[in-house]
Amino acid sequence: MKFWHALPLVRNYVAAMSRISALEAAFALSLENPRYIPGDTVGFNGQRHRKRMFAELVGACAFERVIETGTYIGDTAAFMAATTALPVHTCEANRTFQVLARSRLAGITGIHFHTGDSRQCLRALLSDPSNRDWVQRPLFVYLDAHWHADLPLVEEIALIASYAKDFVIMIDDFKVEGDPGYGYDNYGRGKSLELSTLRPVIGRFSLVAYFPSLASANESGSRRGSVVLCPAGPVSARLDTLTSLRKA
């Protein structure tokens, strides 16, 4: 077998091992912390500046609801619900992770769990006529459902921008230009979490991008990169004033 013929098999093997590793980590975390306990190292990868970014966005935009894709074991969903008292809709494709999250977050109110592909969840929530009243109001969306061969970001962003009017999107594991100390996901050609991958959808919906203003060397926790997207206009004007962000 020639090398390039074996590449798909290698990629599938790596993806499978990564999923097994993630599942083992989730079980270990759930055994060590069977209930969500708030703390500096819990939620948003334990990154204090990421939490500051979120707090400033909440203060500036007066969100009425939060949507998260990629629940995992629920720490970030719980953090967002507990610190804002806003309804949080969180979607997870892996049923095992969702069962763990439901168990760990049983005592926290305001969290709505959804199972399925992130794009299907977003479409169902945003297109439901009964949700029309809050879809047109300030909405925060946290995207963390990307995984190896499946990179749903472009479709997720397009869905949000097509249905929502006043929204802010934050994407985890994203390349922060000018600061290589922030980690990000790169699954091969055309599947790297960076601005060049999103440029068509950013241009199509006239979105403005922001990176963390803090240098990675001063961040805590996992030091994963992120990007914040919003429509150009009144929303971006508010984000321009936030000290936790720098315009890309």
Side-chain angles (χ1 to χ4, degrees):
M1 180 182 294
K2 295 184 181 295
F3 173 74
W4 54 86
H5 290 161
L7 280 177
L9 296 176
V10 173
R11 292 195 187 100
N12 290 338
Y13 173 78
V14 171
M17 294 305 296
S18 295
R19 291 180 187 276
I20 292 171
S21 177
L23 189 60
E24 290 177 342
F27 273 118
L29 287 169
S30 65
L31 291 172
E32 294 169 2
N33 299 292
R35 290 290 182 270
Y36 169 79
I37 300 174
D40 284 347
T41 62
V42 180
F44 286 123
N45 309 315
Q47 297 178 215
R48 286 192 291 269
H49 187 75
R50 179 82 67 85
K51 292 181 178 181
R52 180 188 163 204
M53 290 164 59
F54 177 66
E56 285 197 355
L57 288 167
V58 170
C61 300
F63 301 118
E64 294 198 11
R65 201 163 298 250
V66 173
I67 298 177
E68 175 193 44
T69 64
T71 310
Y72 192 44
I73 61 172
D75 280 347
T76 299
F79 175 83
M80 292 189 291
T83 57
T84 65
L86 293 173
V88 174
H89 293 263
T90 182
C91 176
E92 175 57 58
N94 187 307
R95 187 158 186 81
T96 301
F97 289 156
Q98 193 196 74
V99 170
L100 289 173
R102 281 180 178 271
S103 175
R104 295 183 71 248
L105 277 53
I108 300 176
T109 60
I111 299 180
H112 307 270
F113 294 92
H114 305 270
T115 306
D117 178 85
S118 62
R119 290 151 291 201
Q120 294 173 357
C121 287
L122 285 169
R123 184 177 287 106
L125 283 169
L126 298 173
S127 66
D128 188 338
S130 63
N131 294 338
R132 190 170 298 164
D133 61 332
W134 59 259
V135 167
Q136 296 302 308
R137 295 173 184 171
L139 176 68
F140 179 80
V141 187
Y142 186 62
L143 300 181
D144 194 16
H146 32 269
W147 192 261
H148 285 277
D150 188 19
L151 191 62
L153 287 176
V154 170
E155 294 168 86
E156 290 174 331
I157 294 167
L159 281 167
I160 297 163
S162 295
Y163 286 104
K165 178 182 178 181
D166 191 354
F167 63 88
V168 173
I169 300 169
M170 181 184 287
I171 305 174
D172 190 22
D173 305 309
F174 205 87
K175 182 179 181 179
V176 177
E177 294 183 357
D179 194 336
Y182 278 111
Y184 69 100
D185 288 353
N186 185 346
Y187 302 121
R189 187 176 181 180
K191 293 186 177 182
S192 177
L193 273 65
E194 56 185 295
L195 284 182
S196 61
T197 303
L198 303 184
R199 209 169 298 283
V201 73
I202 287 175
R204 175 185 171 192
F205 292 101
S206 300
L207 304 180
V208 183
Y210 300 82
F211 291 127
S213 61
L214 187 74
S216 58
N218 299 320
E219 176 62 292
S220 60
S222 301
R223 296 181 181 174
R224 301 294 293 173
S226 64
V227 70
V228 172
L229 304 175
C230 73
V235 182
S236 64
R238 292 196 291 271
L239 268 59
D240 286 343
T241 68
L242 304 185
T243 59
S244 63
L245 303 176
R246 64 174 173 89
K247 187 174 286 187

